[in-house]
Amino acid sequence: MSNSSKTLVLAEPTSSYDSRGVRERLIEVLVDCPGVEGLFTYRVRSELSVQPGDVLSVPFGPQIIGAIAIRYISSPPADLDASKIREVEEVITSGFFPPYYWQLLNRVAQYYCTELITVIRMALPPGLLEKSQRRLRLNTEVLPEGAEAFCSRPAQEVLKLLKSQKDGDYSAQYLQRQVKGAYRAIRELIKRGWIESYLEAPKPIRAKLQKAATVVVQSFPPDLTKSQREALEILRHQGGEMWITDLKKHFKISLSILNSLEKKGCVVIEEREKLRFLQEPEMITDEAKPLTPAQADALQVISHLNGFAQVLLHGVTGSGKTEVYLQAIAPLLESGKSVLVLVPEIGLTPQLTDRFRARFGERVYVYHSGLSDGERYDTWRQMLMGTPQVLIGTRSAIFAPLSNLGLIVLDEEHDSSFKQVSPIPTYHARTVATWRAALENCPLILGSATPSLESWVNVEPEGTNQKRSGHTSYYLSLPERIQSRPLPPVEIVDMRQELQAGNRSIFSRSLQAALQNLLEQQQQGILFINRRGHSTFVSCRNCGYVMECPDCDVSLSYHYTHEGATELLRCHYCNHTQLHPRNCPECGSPYLKFFGSGTQKVTQELTQMFPDLRSLRFDSDTTSRKGAHRELISQFARGEADVLVGTQMLTKGLDLAGVTLVGVVAADGLLYHSDYRASERAFQTLTQVAGRAGRGDEPGRVIVQTYSPEHPVIGAVRHHDYDQFIRGELPQRESLNYPPYGRLILLRLSGIDGVEVQQTAEMLADVCRDRLGNECEILGPAPASIMRVAQRYRWHILLKFPGDVEDSLPDLTVLRALCPGSVSITIDVDPLSID
């Protein structure tokens, strides 16, 4: 019965006819059965009204289980015997998810060449469907006296069981175990309207249960002790009920007092499920701030948008984009609408969440992969209740089932973290957000100081109001920082001259002086380095041997933690780790030298050169533990460190008023990559990290160290000049037909056998030439820039399409069937990296 139709149809198709000439409707559903994958086909009876998104009960094997209606199909799949198709039992809940939700998932599946079931499982949180439960309850308003006399014996037994239960409510599974013939009896009673069926809201696999105390008396008994009376007063003042843990923690009320009150009939203590949300610290209430003229103009435009529109909010670093978001959101919440705010990485959420919670309180929720399964599950469930809220999350939150959506915001929309690379589907949150905003007819705001070239070209900022692809696009500019604070001056240091002057430190003389000044002025600074770890690679000075990963075609990085700790070499691609050898494995020489610099080495040299400067390291090594992002940033904000040393995490929206210095230790690591986006990525990263300086009352400064001061990107960064950068970059992209003027699909192949992978790549390239030769340019096949990762060989094929193809890219899923089982293929539509 399992199948997956190739044709994706959401609207109900023209019905076919069965062997008796009876009109029939077929629908595919996702069944609520752990361990069972794929879509299953069922027949819909003529009297049932079923729409995609409805929750159904369906027969599955010997039992009746819950299912979600996905899509209608016009005819049974070829490999399915039509006589074995069973009927949908009934509709339990209409519109459990709104129709647009399935349209959105459908479009993601089509555009990114992925099976719909894969998209569904990626979008839903773990455990959401696995424990939904069909239940039955008495309809007491229409149930007549002596109803048992008018129904069959099994139906009489079902009614008797339901009446024996206090709420007249039992699970269908329990009734089927207790009553022989319950299946027909339940249908009989539902048809009479005496009982009704519903699907209980899904519960966690392991619900978090916690004891709560509830006051159950109007007046206090006279025999209460002083402490018992005080406990009741506190409970009453708190609304009549509280979690016992909170009573203990905040009011020092012991369990023995509560037990005594329960014995006297004053309170009831019972276990209840407590939804798990990310625990955030208490915030001081914040009020809306005065706006600059540019902010006020932007807010005026956004507030008057009616329906779908795309807005590019282009504001320099520190120009107050977040305040515009906040003031645009406030009236939406008051009108009962919800708002979705996407950020590129988990590290951004603590600061942004704090600002939103200070403004909107408990109406703000967080959703990202850093939450526990229970937190993700429960956060998702509360969204289904339809309460107006602000949800802040990373790219996966674009699939959150918020109802009555009034606005979607992508903060730092240029960031590559919005693109999913693995596992499939390889969607971009900005693209999916555009589709969702159009489906829900609400505005989409893309905010950035360094917009992606795709967003820039899309809105055509020569005018503030452009009609494109059937919708209105707006370009809104915030050209100045709030309170007229100046952008920090950027000093470019030529490291070639530093070497000529005899300075062999990783810190230029200018940066050393600035760090010394930090210490004297008791100010704070940020040092940016593009690599984590201690050293980029380890090489033998005697024979030139480089320590390489045994499973990847890359060098191992040296990681240093503290004096006396075990010295480790680690691969940043597959995480292979091994001890650092004392002698060269090739020639036995003890002269092994560390080359390049990572965050660990920068921190180590900083401590050696400035022992009084307190430093914190902020990279993926130090923030892997849950809550570490918030903890490190909070430490720095409280002044417990003078310098924050980190990787690209530092570029993503950090707003720290005390930072007056930003030092880029080695800009060249960003400039030279075999990728058409290298210049764009370098400009965005350097401009963003430079923007962390001077956000408070003290002016800031930026020092960029480079061996290529003449590079066009460095010149644009020096002047914070986005226009200068795009004037040089866009013509190059257009001449080569690269995005935003052309469209790309990258086919990534990998496998254990290098020869087999190469041969498969060559075969698929020939297939693409035969089928697509007139539609696109085909580059490759070619080995990936790092050919072997985690013992798997990798080959690429790049398809270049003209920009006017819009969404009509070809369906390449057939290529998967042509690959041998030992070779995997990823179809990456609109890749951000092709190296």
Side-chain angles (χ1 to χ4, degrees), residues 552-796:
C552 308
D553 292 339
V554 295
S555 58
L556 292 170
S557 297
Y558 173 65
H559 278 247
Y560 171 92
T561 53
H562 58 272
E563 189 70 32
T566 303
E567 295 181 313
L568 298 174
L569 301 179
R570 181 175 297 161
C571 175
H572 288 176
Y573 285 83
C574 72
N575 209 35
H576 167 83
T577 304
Q578 67 185 55
L579 294 175
H580 173 54
R582 293 298 174 195
N583 300 89
C584 173
E586 187 73 15
C587 70
S589 167
Y591 303 112
L592 293 173
K593 185 178 180 182
F594 305 134
F595 290 86
S597 299
T599 49
Q600 288 182 346
K601 186 174 182 180
V602 170
T603 305
Q604 185 182 2
E605 294 213 12
L606 181 68
T607 302
Q608 291 174 353
M609 189 171 291
F610 302 97
D612 294 330
L613 272 178
R614 300 163 300 166
S615 64
L616 283 173
R617 190 157 56 91
F618 193 65
D619 57 25
S620 58
D621 291 333
T622 61
T623 57
S624 58
R625 180 173 49 84
K626 185 177 181 179
H629 292 90
R630 175 184 291 282
E631 185 179 318
L632 285 170
I633 294 301
S634 296
Q635 279 183 259
F636 191 65
R638 291 194 300 265
E640 296 176 18
D642 306 303
V643 180
L644 193 62
V645 181
T647 55
Q648 293 198 33
M649 289 183 180
L650 295 174
T651 70
K652 302 179 189 293
L654 289 182
D655 190 357
L656 299 164
V659 173
T660 57
L661 170 69
V662 166
V664 178
V665 177
D668 304 274
L670 293 166
L671 298 175
Y672 300 105
H673 287 280
S674 57
D675 193 292
Y676 75 97
R677 289 184 185 269
S679 292
E680 180 183 5
R681 200 172 289 123
F683 174 79
Q684 289 167 340
T685 300
L686 293 174
T687 301
Q688 291 285 344
V689 75
R692 302 312 109 196
R695 287 172 169 254
D697 295 331
E698 297 295 326
R701 64 179 297 200
V702 180
I703 298 173
V704 178
Q705 300 182 164
T706 177
Y707 288 91
S708 307
E710 69 285 348
H711 196 287
V713 166
I714 298 297
V717 170
R718 182 200 299 265
H719 301 105
H720 301 277
D721 195 339
Y722 181 82
D723 288 343
Q724 177 183 337
F725 166 71
I726 61 171
R727 284 196 302 271
E729 184 69 11
L730 284 177
Q732 295 183 43
R733 297 278 189 93
E734 189 170 21
S735 66
L736 296 172
N737 197 31
Y738 276 113
Y741 299 104
R743 304 289 298 281
L744 302 179
I745 297 180
L746 180 63
L747 307 179
R748 293 190 172 97
L749 292 92
S750 69
I752 300 296
D753 186 332
V755 174
E756 184 182 35
V757 175
Q758 179 179 352
Q759 292 174 345
T760 303
E762 291 169 350
M763 179 269 292
L764 292 183
D766 289 339
V767 171
C768 289
R769 290 188 183 94
D770 291 340
R771 299 190 178 196
L772 305 171
N774 297 326
E775 299 179 36
C776 67
E777 180 182 358
I778 300 171
L779 304 179
S785 58
I786 300 175
M787 187 175 181
R788 191 172 58 107
V789 172
Q791 298 185 349
R792 296 183 67 85
Y793 293 88
R794 309 188 307 156
W795 280 71
H796 290 170

Side-chain angles (χ1 to χ4, degrees), residues 145-349:
E145 286 289 336
E148 291 85 349
F150 302 98
C151 53
S152 65
R153 183 173 295 277
Q156 292 174 19
E157 295 182 36
V158 169
L159 284 175
K160 183 178 178 182
L161 279 170
L162 288 171
K163 286 182 175 181
S164 69
Q165 211 271 348
K166 181 181 177 182
D167 297 323
D169 188 312
Y170 267 121
S171 72
Q173 189 176 24
Y174 174 79
L175 292 172
Q176 287 164 357
R177 285 200 308 264
Q178 297 298 314
V179 178
K180 188 176 181 180
Y183 176 70
R184 292 184 180 278
I186 290 169
R187 290 187 64 174
E188 175 187 341
L189 294 171
I190 288 175
K191 192 172 182 179
R192 290 178 180 270
W194 294 349
I195 67 172
E196 56 187 4
S197 173
Y198 70 97
L199 194 71
E200 186 179 51
K203 291 184 178 178
I205 295 170
R206 288 188 298 273
K208 182 178 181 180
L209 298 177
Q210 198 163 306
K211 287 187 175 180
T214 305
V215 177
V216 292
V217 292
Q218 294 296 325
S219 57
F220 297 168
D223 60 340
L224 295 180
T225 66
K226 180 182 178 182
S227 56
Q228 290 171 350
R229 184 173 292 275
E230 288 176 353
L232 279 177
E233 290 285 2
I234 289 169
L235 267 171
R236 179 172 286 179
H237 183 70
Q238 296 295 320
E241 60 182 9
M242 275 191 76
W243 300 111
I244 288 179
T245 52
D246 291 340
L247 285 168
K248 288 180 179 179
K249 180 179 178 181
H250 300 298
F251 300 104
K252 311 301 181 188
I253 296 174
S254 68
L255 184 58
S256 61
I257 292 175
L258 295 171
N259 287 334
S260 300
L261 288 170
E262 186 178 37
K263 289 177 182 178
K264 293 181 178 182
C266 298
V267 302
V268 171
I269 297 175
E270 59 183 352
E271 279 195 332
R272 298 182 189 172
E273 182 188 350
K274 183 175 184 181
L275 291 178
R276 293 159 288 194
F277 303 126
L278 184 66
Q279 296 301 307
E280 305 275 13
E282 293 295 326
M283 300 301 302
I284 299 173
T285 302
D286 178 38
E287 300 293 333
K289 295 176 173 56
L291 299 179
T292 65
Q295 284 177 307
D297 290 344
L299 180 62
Q300 176 79 1
V301 172
I302 293 168
S303 299
H304 285 81
L305 293 177
N306 185 19
F308 174 51
Q310 186 168 302
V311 177
L312 177 59
L313 184 60
H314 182 193
V316 299
T317 54
S319 59
K321 293 184 289 295
T322 304
E323 185 62 30
V324 174
Y325 304 153
L326 290 166
Q327 295 197 29
I329 289 169
L332 294 173
L333 285 178
E334 295 307 314
S335 67
K337 294 185 176 181
S338 289
V339 175
L340 177 58
V341 179
L342 299 183
V343 294
E345 294 217 17
I346 298 169
L348 260 181
T349 54

Side-chain angles (χ1 to χ4, degrees), residues 26-244:
L26 300 177
I27 196 161
E28 292 188 320
V29 306
L30 177 66
V31 296
D32 178 12
C33 188
V36 175
E37 297 190 2
L39 299 178
F40 292 80
T41 302
Y42 285 86
R43 185 174 288 109
V44 180
R45 301 192 309 275
S46 59
E47 67 269 23
L48 279 185
S49 175
V50 177
Q51 297 298 325
D54 289 353
V55 177
L56 316 173
S57 62
V58 297
F60 193 79
Q63 57 182 333
I64 301 294
I65 63 174
I68 295 181
I70 302 299
R71 61 190 177 190
Y72 275 98
I73 57 175
S74 56
S75 60
D79 59 348
L80 179 61
D81 184 349
S83 66
K84 294 184 178 180
I85 299 176
R86 302 167 77 179
E87 289 186 345
V88 171
E89 179 68 18
E90 62 181 304
V91 177
I92 297 173
T93 304
S94 296
F96 190 60
F97 295 114
Y100 84 82
Y101 192 76
W102 301 110
Q103 295 177 43
L104 182 68
L105 297 188
N106 213 15
R107 189 165 187 182
V108 171
Q110 288 181 307
Y111 186 82
Y112 291 104
C113 303
T114 308
E115 290 290 333
L116 179 59
I117 189 65
T118 303
V119 178
I120 292 169
R121 295 196 179 278
M122 175 273 304
L124 303 184
L128 179 69
L129 296 175
E130 292 176 358
K131 292 297 177 181
S132 54
Q133 181 176 225
R134 185 190 181 210
R135 298 188 69 86
L136 300 159
R137 60 190 166 206
L138 289 174
N139 193 346
T140 54
E141 293 181 1
V142 299
L143 183 67
E145 286 289 336
E148 291 85 349
F150 302 98
C151 53
S152 65
R153 183 173 295 277
Q156 292 174 19
E157 295 182 36
V158 169
L159 284 175
K160 183 178 178 182
L161 279 170
L162 288 171
K163 286 182 175 181
S164 69
Q165 211 271 348
K166 181 181 177 182
D167 297 323
D169 188 312
Y170 267 121
S171 72
Q173 189 176 24
Y174 174 79
L175 292 172
Q176 287 164 357
R177 285 200 308 264
Q178 297 298 314
V179 178
K180 188 176 181 180
Y183 176 70
R184 292 184 180 278
I186 290 169
R187 290 187 64 174
E188 175 187 341
L189 294 171
I190 288 175
K191 192 172 182 179
R192 290 178 180 270
W194 294 349
I195 67 172
E196 56 187 4
S197 173
Y198 70 97
L199 194 71
E200 186 179 51
K203 291 184 178 178
I205 295 170
R206 288 188 298 273
K208 182 178 181 180
L209 298 177
Q210 198 163 306
K211 287 187 175 180
T214 305
V215 177
V216 292
V217 292
Q218 294 296 325
S219 57
F220 297 168
D223 60 340
L224 295 180
T225 66
K226 180 182 178 182
S227 56
Q228 290 171 350
R229 184 173 292 275
E230 288 176 353
L232 279 177
E233 290 285 2
I234 289 169
L235 267 171
R236 179 172 286 179
H237 183 70
Q238 296 295 320
E241 60 182 9
M242 275 191 76
W243 300 111
I244 288 179

Side-chain angles (χ1 to χ4, degrees), residues 417-447:
S417 297
F418 281 124
K419 179 73 159 78
Q420 171 113 334
V421 177
S422 178
I424 58 173
T426 58
Y427 69 95
H428 197 300
R430 183 178 61 232
T431 302
V432 180
T434 304
W435 297 339
R436 181 165 183 181
L439 284 169
E440 299 212 50
N441 199 32
C442 72
L444 168 66
I445 300 178
L446 307 174

Side-chain angles (χ1 to χ4, degrees), residues 358-411:
R359 192 71 58 89
F360 303 126
E362 295 183 355
R363 291 179 289 180
V364 177
Y365 293 87
V366 175
Y367 188 84
H368 54 65
S369 60
L371 304 181
S372 68
D373 283 354
E375 288 169 341
R376 290 175 69 192
Y377 183 97
D378 288 352
T379 302
W380 184 281
R381 289 171 63 202
Q382 66 79 28
M383 291 183 232
L384 300 175
M385 301 173 188
T387 307
Q389 61 190 270
V390 179
L391 185 75
I392 301 175
T394 48
R395 63 174 177 260
S396 62
I398 190 57
F399 299 106
L402 290 170
S403 60
N404 200 15
L405 198 58
L407 178 68
I408 301 176
V409 176
L410 258 77
D411 194 30

